Amino acid sequence: MINKLIANIERTQAPIVVGLDPMLKFIPKQLTERAFNDYGETLEGAAEAIWQYNKELVDHIYDLIPAVKPQIAMYEQFGIPGLIIYKRTIDYCREKGLVVIGDIKRGDIGSTSEAYAVGHLGKVKVGSNSFYGFNEDFSTLAPYMGSDSITPFIKVCREEKKGLFILVKTSNPSSGEFQDRLIEGRPLYQWVAQKVVEWGADFMGDSYSYVGAVVGATYPEMGKALRELMPKSFILVPGYGAQGGKGEDLVHFFNKDGLGAIVNSSRGIIAAHQQEKYAHMGEANFADAARQAVVDMREDIQTALRGK
Amino acid sequence: MINKLIANIERTQAPIVVGLDPMLKFIPKQLTERAFNDYGETLEGAAEAIWQYNKELVDHIYDLIPAVKPQIAMYEQFGIPGLIIYKRTIDYCREKGLVVIGDIKRGDIGSTSEAYAVGHLGKVKVGSNSFYGFNEDFSTLAPYMGSDSITPFIKVCREEKKGLFILVKTSNPSSGEFQDRLIEGRPLYQWVAQKVVEWGADFMGDSYSYVGAVVGATYPEMGKALRELMPKSFILVPGYGAQGGKGEDLVHFFNKDGLGAIVNSSRGIIAAHQQEKYAHMGEANFADAARQAVVDMREDIQTALRGK
């Protein structure tokens, strides 16, 4: 799957992942009203609005991008109806040839970690059958509990040829509270990065490991050091756009081969129609606005990489 | 809800939480076969078997215990049908007067953390209505991303009078990889503990904070130090039984008032019928075996506390 991710990036010339993190306030009224007419102002109604929104977005941008990253929290908040749409979104995006990074940030141990791994990436056994639960291509994971939380996922990933992105240095303002604290002179996030390298060392695709890292665009200098520390790890970079990261900040996250990073934008793409820059396109054309925002983001990143 | 948890503990004289972490291999054949007859060897069949198992367990033990802790991974692995049963289990346990600790270990930031918080503890707005997604009483949370991941939960907890348990020192063998690393002479988990105290300081129940901590029974000496560091934080203690923690190890986790800790046992209770000690009761009487295991665990802890 890391090879497919890289092939998709090379084909689209866009190291971009679109965060499918829908909020009801992003969705044009006409879509929401239609869903509420059919299902009422219920969890099912909200889920239907989100599904129609996602589908139209994906239909308009899938040929330009290598991957999507649905944030499960945005679906989980609507309980079971929301999670049904999370699964439907994954299936639809896979059908369209997109790599799906499930942004789940799970982290637990032993049999519990195994359960998450089979549920999100692998197949669970029921009697003589086995079934995919959510069937993402990659999952994001939290590292606080150590190797016990990662190795069960790696086992499933080997069977399924799927991959992981481990939180190393996150994009949020308070990420430093623990991640930046110095241990023997080096910040915690670098120790986590070192573990990411270890976990991924003997689980390689053609040029990069199946075990990648999450490093926020909002900390470009740290990204530079982490790029060197993890030369074979793909870096998933959140924080571009809405959180303040710019194209010029991103160059440090890439290797000299022009690969090694994939930059996430969520509301910057999927809610582009609510930005001043794209508002003239009209709310009803939200998916066209998203497409234009992808084109602009690709240009921003390519320009920055050319100037590297 | 922290007051209800304490009232339940005082009523039952049992600082025990039963981990409802069902695995198909725990479930007696007769239950599984009946479910597979009705639904096939499918995700729905597995979910039905788990539901019948949970229901019979809860019916047999609810009067002896203050709380249950369903581990969402064990349901999530069965996809949507599994999560439907997670929700049904929560609702059923709440109807029985039990406090429900959702063991979800979520951790994300900003609007994503808000989404998890409203989905698991609060209500999500849909038009002019609002709905509970999962409606747990407490959630467990992972701290790696810092305050940004905790404060949105605290906001929802204040509205709902619900609580949190933050991972501080986990029970697993590799928990030390990051948690034990020294920062200015003190291990990371103590810095997290200090934050737990800060987060909970102005969100108090009658005697304890709504913000508690998770500290593994397998590290009693660390538990002792953490008990002193977090005098007003309830400690959720996993690792008793199957993971090796013993009654005598637990005394350090309690305050002089006999409160301040609640000890989890999962397979030690719910799969008691598979232990040599209870096997004579027969697989069909798994819920009676679970009841006896609760009685024995209560006695083990009370004996240890009397000898403190």
Side-chain angles (χ1 to χ4, degrees):
Chain A
M1 202 45 77
I2 185 70
N3 297 337
K4 180 178 175 183
L5 179 63
I6 291 169
N8 277 7
I9 291 171
E10 290 180 331
R11 179 174 49 76
T12 56
Q13 286 295 300
I16 290 175
V17 54
V18 173
L20 292 176
D21 309 351
M23 299 176 80
L24 287 181
K25 67 182 178 188
F26 298 163
I27 304 181
K29 265 188 195 148
Q30 60 191 64
L31 277 190
T32 314
E33 279 174 7
R34 202 188 313 151
F36 288 173
N37 275 338
D38 291 348
Y39 296 90
E41 289 186 348
T42 61
L43 295 176
E44 289 78 9
E48 173 66 13
I50 289 170
W51 164 242
Q52 295 298 339
Y53 180 65
N54 278 355
K55 183 173 179 302
E56 195 164 337
L57 282 169
V58 171
D59 286 343
H60 279 70
I61 61 174
Y62 77 94
D63 58 315
L64 293 182
I65 57 171
V68 290
K69 181 174 74 63
Q71 166 53 258
I72 195 170
M74 292 304 174
Y75 304 83
E76 207 164 306
Q77 69 178 322
F78 296 104
I80 303 297
L83 285 159
I84 290 172
I85 297 311
Y86 177 71
K87 167 76 173 130
R88 192 179 298 166
T89 299
I90 291 170
D91 291 345
Y92 191 71
C93 291
R94 286 175 56 99
E95 278 170 30
K96 291 280 186 185
L98 292 164
V99 170
V100 178
I101 302 169
D103 197 353
I104 62 173
K105 297 190 181 67
R106 302 299 192 249
D108 215 299
I109 57 168
S111 56
T112 308
S113 183
E114 276 174 50
Y116 276 133
V118 300
H120 284 277
L121 296 174
K123 290 190 283 269
V124 67
K125 279 186 191 155
V126 181
S128 51
N129 298 326
S130 58
F131 300 92
Y132 284 108
F134 290 101
N135 201 16
E136 302 145 15
D137 296 316
F138 285 82
S139 296
T140 59
L141 295 182
Y144 189 69
M145 302 175 91
S147 297
D148 296 328
S149 58
I150 309 298
T151 49
F153 270 88
I154 291 179
K155 182 169 170 284
V156 170
C157 283
R158 283 186 190 279
E159 291 162 11
E160 299 281 339
K161 295 197 184 301
K162 292 184 170 181
L164 302 172
F165 289 101
I166 317 282
L167 300 186
V168 168
K169 172 64 188 173
T170 59
S171 61
N172 55 305
S174 78
S175 69
E177 280 176 13
F178 305 125
Q179 297 168 25
D180 293 359
R181 299 305 303 270
L182 294 181
I183 295 163
E184 296 179 20
R186 291 169 61 201
L188 170 60
Y189 66 78
Q190 287 200 9
W191 293 97
V192 177
Q194 189 173 308
K195 276 286 177 189
V196 167
V197 171
E198 284 174 30
W199 290 322
D202 63 346
F203 186 28
M204 289 291 296
D206 293 340
S207 52
Y208 284 88
S209 172
Y210 281 84
V211 183
V214 176
V215 183
T218 40
Y219 301 104
E221 286 305 313
M222 297 178 186
K224 197 173 176 178
L226 288 166
R227 179 66 288 167
E228 285 168 23
L229 207 61
M230 306 182 289
K232 295 294 182 189
S233 308
F234 235 78
I235 301 180
L236 170 64
V237 188
Y240 175 86
Q243 287 182 54
K246 294 169 200 156
E248 64 202 66
D249 299 330
L250 296 172
V251 295
H252 309 300
F253 294 85
F254 289 83
N255 275 320
K256 284 183 184 155
D257 59 4
L259 289 169
I262 185 161
V263 183
N264 181 76
S265 179
S266 300
R267 70 181 65 187
I269 306 292
I270 70 170
H273 60 287
Q274 295 185 342
Q275 292 173 44
E276 205 180 321
K277 184 175 177 186
Y278 304 102
H280 68 277
M281 298 175 77
E283 191 183 58
N285 300 313
F286 67 96
D288 292 319
R291 186 174 177 90
Q292 189 56 49
V294 169
V295 170
D296 293 346
M297 180 177 172
R298 184 178 60 185
E299 182 57 27
D300 184 35
I301 294 175
Q302 283 177 346
T303 302
L305 285 176
R306 275 194 298 268
K308 191 180 179 179
Chain B
M1 202 46 78
I2 185 70
N3 297 336
K4 181 178 175 183
L5 179 63
I6 292 169
N8 276 7
I9 290 171
E10 290 181 331
R11 179 174 50 75
T12 56
Q13 287 294 301
I16 290 174
V17 53
V18 173
L20 293 178
D21 309 351
M23 299 176 79
L24 287 181
K25 66 183 180 188
F26 298 161
I27 304 181
K29 264 187 197 148
Q30 61 190 63
L31 277 190
T32 315
E33 280 174 6
R34 204 189 310 151
F36 288 174
N37 275 338
D38 290 349
Y39 296 89
E41 289 184 349
T42 61
L43 295 176
E44 289 77 11
E48 173 67 13
I50 289 170
W51 164 242
Q52 295 298 338
Y53 180 65
N54 278 357
K55 184 175 179 300
E56 195 165 337
L57 281 168
V58 171
D59 286 343
H60 278 71
I61 61 175
Y62 78 93
D63 58 316
L64 293 182
I65 58 171
V68 290
K69 182 175 73 63
Q71 166 53 258
I72 195 170
M74 293 305 176
Y75 304 83
E76 206 164 310
Q77 69 178 322
F78 297 103
I80 304 298
L83 285 159
I84 289 171
I85 297 310
Y86 176 71
K87 168 75 174 131
R88 193 179 298 167
T89 298
I90 290 169
D91 291 344
Y92 191 72
C93 291
R94 284 175 56 100
E95 279 170 30
K96 291 281 185 185
L98 292 163
V99 170
V100 178
I101 302 169
D103 198 353
I104 62 172
K105 297 190 181 70
R106 301 300 191 251
D108 216 299
I109 57 167
S111 56
T112 308
S113 183
E114 276 174 51
Y116 277 133
V118 300
H120 285 277
L121 296 172
K123 290 191 283 271
V124 66
K125 279 185 191 156
V126 182
S128 51
N129 298 325
S130 57
F131 300 92
Y132 285 108
F134 290 102
N135 202 15
E136 302 145 15
D137 296 315
F138 285 83
S139 297
T140 59
L141 295 182
Y144 189 67
M145 301 175 92
S147 298
D148 295 328
S149 58
I150 309 298
T151 48
F153 270 87
I154 290 179
K155 182 170 169 284
V156 170
C157 283
R158 284 185 189 278
E159 291 162 10
E160 298 281 339
K161 294 194 185 300
K162 292 183 170 183
L164 302 172
F165 289 102
I166 318 280
L167 300 186
V168 169
K169 172 65 188 173
T170 59
S171 61
N172 55 305
S174 78
S175 69
E177 280 176 12
F178 304 124
Q179 297 167 25
D180 293 359
R181 300 303 304 268
L182 294 181
I183 295 163
E184 296 178 19
R186 290 168 62 200
L188 171 59
Y189 66 79
Q190 289 199 9
W191 292 97
V192 177
Q194 189 174 306
K195 275 286 177 190
V196 167
V197 171
E198 283 174 31
W199 290 322
D202 62 346
F203 186 26
M204 290 290 298
D206 293 341
S207 52
Y208 283 89
S209 173
Y210 281 84
V211 183
V214 176
V215 183
T218 41
Y219 300 103
E221 286 306 312
M222 297 178 186
K224 197 173 177 178
L226 287 166
R227 178 67 288 168
E228 285 167 23
L229 207 61
M230 306 181 290
K232 295 295 181 190
S233 308
F234 235 79
I235 301 179
L236 171 63
V237 188
Y240 175 87
Q243 286 183 53
K246 294 168 200 160
E248 65 202 66
D249 298 331
L250 297 172
V251 294
H252 309 299
F253 294 84
F254 289 84
N255 275 321
K256 284 181 184 156
D257 59 5
L259 288 169
I262 185 161
V263 182
N264 181 76
S265 180
S266 299
R267 70 182 66 188
I269 306 292
I270 70 170
H273 60 288
Q274 295 185 341
Q275 292 172 44
E276 205 180 320
K277 184 175 176 186
Y278 304 104
H280 68 276
M281 297 175 78
E283 191 183 59
N285 300 312
F286 68 95
D288 292 319
R291 187 175 176 89
Q292 188 57 49
V294 169
V295 170
D296 293 347
M297 180 178 172
R298 183 177 61 186
E299 182 59 27
D300 184 35
I301 293 174
Q302 282 178 346
T303 302
L305 284 177
R306 274 193 299 270
K308 190 180 180 179

